[in-house]
Amino acid sequence: MSRIALWAALLALLAAATGCTLPAETKRDAGTGGITAAPPGRDTRAVLASAPMYHRPWVRLDLVGLNRFDERHLVVQIRVANTARPDQRDAGTSLDAFKDTSTETTDPAFATGISVLDAPRRRMLLPYRTPGKGALATDLRKEPFRYLKDGAEATLYAVLPAPPPGTATTTVVTQLAPPFANVPISGSPPTAPPGQPIPNPDRHRVQTVIAPLNAATQTPDGGETQDDGTDLRVHLSTDVLFAVNASALTPRARQTLHRAATQIDASTAPTVQVEGHTDSSGDDTVNDPLSQRRADAVKAEMEKLVTRAGVRLDAKGYGSKRPLYPNTSTEGKRRNRRVTLTFQRPVPKERTPPPPDTNAPTPTVTSTIKGQPLTASVQSLRSLGNGLGVLTYRITNKGTKPVSAGLSEMYGEWMEFTEHFDRAVAVLDPTGQTAYLPVDYRAQRGGADRMCVCTSNAGVFLGNDNPPPGQSRDFWAVVSLPPDNTPTTSVQIARFPRLTKIPITR
């Protein structure tokens, strides 16, 4: 026996004799390269961040692990504790909502709904998939994960691509509670949860799932801007710029184009792409030349309005070949009739605003919906960096009957989301003219469906925006923030009056 093997045997005998176990992070499975499961029992690890499940506040989500694994991978672990006693509740809690609905169309039930929001690169990192076998995440078909009994707890894990080296913090997202924002990433090897080994992605045939984020804004003139963290795509409504079937700019087009020119002046982009688009009405023989003439007209006007030297504008018409939204509704077609300006995203001016007044009362507004008084209040608006933030807000029913707060009514089916989301909220710029909407990303299962990074209102959460009389419900959304880093802003929640002077925590 070699000296190394002899020492290993002696250490194992010593551990058995004393009833101790070696540190879990040293228990690397030589055959799989993964981390050996911790012994069965309670998970007593320290809590990195905690939040109640928003539709069942007696269930607590504790983030207990956020570790790099071989530098290129990230292991996220969440302990779910059902604190209700059997004499308080007659039913446990399903963990089915930990499944991700953006990629899975069948039911291997794995905890793929645990994801990471990589704010600097504007993308969602989702757990690795193993084709035909599920995912590198807790199998929710097994007990105790399938159904968490009252008074019980269980730890779920997911293995994902890691943010780039040097990233100190990240934000963990599930559909069950507000995100765990800006949590430090540990460089120490992960410790496996009780009874669950952590697999090594390098020993499996895995599919990486990374989804670019879409951070959109809207203006009263029908314009929309999409920010992917690298480029801005400023979509200008041709219903504002041109008359029907015409390519001469209307009198009100100049104000819209002047606002776009200001954004280009703030950028360092040497080139701006000017793209003309139509909806699917008509045929290519009409749509293609019309979109080209409109792109040329916008290019000519922008060359007069842009004041920064050395900017080149290139114009091209695409007709109806590149729709922004499905052409299956009137609203979708309206938004597809556009001229898009694409250029490098301006670098935001980072300023440290004065600290907000923590003693100020929580702004609250009241609206009467179907005869019932409901109140809306912002609980927090926290910056994630790089122009993104987490908005948490509360709806309280002050009436005598349950009633919907209308949190999904402001956006129609033309948006083609995979499920219902409570996304009828927006952060407003200081002028109140630009609305910064909840962030979304394209689903990975084909089609045009999208996923909102906000509270779900589908499945087990169906009707969550109908608080019973005398009760409150909490909601959240990842939103864009105005670029000027002001200490306060305004928030619009569905049909409620506007909430003003909302502090931004950084």
Side-chain angles (χ1 to χ4, degrees), residues 216-241:
T217 63
Q218 289 184 2
T219 54
D221 58 9
E224 180 176 347
T225 298
Q226 295 179 330
D227 180 352
D228 64 5
T230 301
D231 294 326
L232 288 186
R233 291 175 174 82
V234 181
H235 306 294
L236 308 175
S237 172
T238 56
D239 292 4
V240 173
L241 300 179

Side-chain angles (χ1 to χ4, degrees), residues 236-492:
L236 308 175
S237 172
T238 56
D239 292 4
V240 173
L241 300 179
F242 307 99
V244 177
N245 294 327
S247 57
L249 291 168
T250 63
R252 62 174 179 162
R254 184 176 178 82
Q255 180 179 359
T256 296
L257 295 179
H258 185 272
R259 185 164 52 242
T262 301
Q263 292 176 288
I264 294 173
D265 284 336
S267 171
T268 59
T271 304
V272 177
Q273 302 297 327
V274 183
E275 302 174 352
H277 302 275
T278 69
D279 62 24
S280 59
S281 303
D283 55 36
D284 292 347
T285 60
V286 174
N287 290 336
D288 290 356
L290 176 63
S291 65
Q292 182 65 55
R293 292 195 301 271
R294 287 178 168 180
D296 290 336
V298 170
K299 173 189 173 183
E301 185 65 20
M302 295 299 291
E303 287 175 336
K304 302 174 186 177
L305 297 175
V306 172
T307 61
R308 181 166 55 86
V311 181
R312 187 181 81 252
L313 289 90
D314 296 329
K316 183 173 178 58
Y318 291 95
S320 62
K321 298 179 181 65
R322 296 186 177 183
L324 189 63
Y325 298 104
N327 281 294
T328 54
S329 68
T330 301
E331 181 66 11
K333 287 183 177 181
R334 184 188 72 79
R335 291 180 181 274
N336 286 333
R337 297 191 296 268
R338 69 198 191 278
V339 173
T340 297
L341 307 176
T342 303
F343 52 93
Q344 185 178 350
R345 179 176 183 257
V347 177
K349 297 178 181 179
E350 295 293 341
R351 297 200 308 264
T352 303
D357 183 4
T358 56
N359 296 320
T362 301
T364 301
V365 292
T366 301
S367 181
T368 300
I369 302 176
K370 296 183 178 180
Q372 304 301 308
L374 273 69
T375 64
S377 60
V378 171
Q379 303 302 296
S380 68
L381 180 55
R382 181 176 180 179
S383 172
L384 299 176
N386 201 49
L388 297 181
V390 177
L391 171 70
T392 57
Y393 58 101
R394 177 172 295 168
I395 305 295
T396 302
N397 187 345
K398 299 287 189 178
T400 59
K401 299 178 181 178
V403 62
S404 171
L407 297 178
S408 58
E409 293 177 358
M410 293 177 68
Y411 302 92
E413 291 300 322
W414 63 272
M415 289 294 287
E416 297 289 338
F417 282 81
T418 61
E419 57 186 66
H420 293 289
F421 293 94
D422 294 316
R423 64 184 313 271
V425 294
V427 173
L428 307 177
D429 72 350
T431 68
Q433 294 298 303
T434 301
Y436 294 79
L437 307 179
V439 171
D440 62 65
Y441 60 94
R442 189 172 296 279
Q444 301 293 303
R445 60 186 189 185
D449 291 353
R450 305 195 68 84
M451 296 290 293
C452 179
V453 190
C454 62
T455 307
S456 175
N457 195 5
V460 297
F461 310 119
L462 188 63
N464 190 52
D465 69 337
N466 295 21
Q471 295 188 24
S472 300
R473 295 282 170 81
D474 290 339
F475 306 87
W476 63 273
V478 173
V479 294
S480 299
L481 296 177
D484 56 359
N485 288 332
T486 55
T488 64
T489 189
S490 299
V491 171
Q492 182 71 53

Side-chain angles (χ1 to χ4, degrees), residues 1-13:
M1 181 180 293
S2 68
R3 182 175 297 179
I4 294 176
L6 179 60
W7 273 110
L10 289 174
L11 285 172
L13 288 172

Side-chain angles (χ1 to χ4, degrees), residues 108-128:
F110 292 84
T112 48
I114 300 174
S115 57
V116 163
L117 189 149
D118 184 7
R121 281 149 289 275
R122 294 290 181 97
R123 59 185 188 171
M124 291 294 293
L125 308 175
L126 289 84
Y128 293 115

